[in-house]
């Protein structure tokens, strides 16, 4: 195990776990963890279609929806198309091991929060509403990072918050001494 040198309690807990008589390398807990982290349903990169515009200029069959809500929430639709490609590979039925759903891989609890401000967003599994909610959430996170990240850094903080949670990124940022505005610095500590 690789742990920080200044984490003796963590080292002790790990040592205790592996030396205790109840640890079974092939037990149910081990099996569940192995399946969650090592047997993902994601395709290897070589099997994923490349993200590029076809001859007709279309990236996906969801382009019109992405463009509509990108314009509504003032987010570049190409950035969203890239995000959807990364999140779900344009699979509207995608479901992560952690429970995120749909094209934009939105957690159900996050979707319910978004619905409070947008009651017209009916169904998280609908590509239209999933995309609309994801873009709305991207914009909301972008607005939250007014300061300190300037320019492009702000976008990195917004996407980092989308994936790891706004509070987690904010807390990590605030714990750095002195606070660094560079996403690359914050990302190392998440």
């Amino acid at each position: 195990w690789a742990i920080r040198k200044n984490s003796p309690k963590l080292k002790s807990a790990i040592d205790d776990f592996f030396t205790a008589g109840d640890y079974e390398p092939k037990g149910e807990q081990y099996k569940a963890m192995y399946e969650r982290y090592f047997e993902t349903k994601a395709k290897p990169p070589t099997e994923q279609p490349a993200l590029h515009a076809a001859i007709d200029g279309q990236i996906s069959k969801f382009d019109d929806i992405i463009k509509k809500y990108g314009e509504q929430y003032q987010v570049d639709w190409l950035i969203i198309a890239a995000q959807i490609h990364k999140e779900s590979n344009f699979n509207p039925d995608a479901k992560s091991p952690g429970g995120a759903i749909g094209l934009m891989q939105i957690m159900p609890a996050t979707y319910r929060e978004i619905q409070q401000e947008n009651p017209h967003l009916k169904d998280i599994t609908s590509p239209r509403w999933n995309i609309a909610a994801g873009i709305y959430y991207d914009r909301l996170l972008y607005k939250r990072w007014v300061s300190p990240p300037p320019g492009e850094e702000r976008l990195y903080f917004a996407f980092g918050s989308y994936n790891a949670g706004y509070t987690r990124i904010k807390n990590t940022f605030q714990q750095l001494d002195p606070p660094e505005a560079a996403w690359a610095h914050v990302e190392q500590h998440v």
Side-chain angles (χ1 to χ4, degrees):
W1 289 89
I3 57 173
R4 288 179 282 200
K5 290 180 184 180
N6 62 350
S7 299
K9 288 181 182 178
L10 177 60
K11 182 184 181 314
S12 176
I14 292 171
D15 290 343
D16 290 347
F17 177 79
F18 284 109
T19 57
D22 59 348
Y23 170 68
E24 298 177 40
K26 300 298 178 193
E28 290 302 312
Q29 183 181 15
Y30 173 87
K31 185 178 177 181
M33 288 173 60
Y34 186 88
E35 287 174 1
R36 179 173 182 182
Y37 294 105
F38 296 105
E39 294 181 359
T40 63
K41 293 178 175 55
K43 294 179 184 177
T46 56
E47 294 180 30
Q48 293 182 354
L51 177 60
H52 61 83
I55 293 172
D56 63 359
Q58 187 175 5
I59 293 174
S60 78
K61 65 182 181 180
F62 306 106
D63 287 3
D64 290 339
I65 299 170
I66 300 167
K67 288 176 184 177
K68 175 183 178 177
Y69 291 103
E71 185 175 324
Q72 181 175 329
Y73 295 116
Q74 300 174 330
V75 179
D76 183 342
W77 80 276
L78 291 171
I79 291 174
I80 300 303
Q83 181 182 10
I84 293 172
H85 173 68
K86 188 68 174 165
E87 295 284 350
S88 67
N89 200 27
F90 295 102
N91 177 0
D93 300 318
K95 194 168 194 177
S96 77
I101 296 173
L103 292 161
M104 296 290 287
Q105 289 294 283
I106 301 173
M107 295 296 288
T110 303
Y111 194 81
R112 286 190 296 275
E113 288 177 26
I114 294 167
Q115 280 183 309
Q116 290 175 358
E117 295 293 321
N118 301 275
H120 62 281
L121 302 178
K122 301 295 182 197
D123 182 11
I124 191 173
T125 62
S126 160
R128 176 184 177 188
W129 300 129
N130 191 277
I131 290 169
I135 296 174
Y136 169 84
Y137 194 54
D138 277 332
R139 184 65 179 167
L140 178 73
L141 292 170
Y142 187 80
K143 286 180 179 180
R144 284 185 182 174
W145 286 106
V146 175
S147 175
E152 197 172 283
E153 289 293 317
R154 187 174 176 192
L155 187 61
Y156 297 146
F157 276 82
F159 281 127
S161 298
Y162 189 97
N163 283 300
Y166 173 75
T167 302
R168 183 174 178 197
I169 300 298
K170 180 181 171 189
N171 289 344
T172 301
F173 175 81
Q174 290 174 339
Q175 289 170 3
L176 295 177
D177 187 30
E180 293 280 339
W183 169 249
H185 186 71
V186 173
E187 183 180 29
Q188 294 172 10
H189 295 84
V190 176

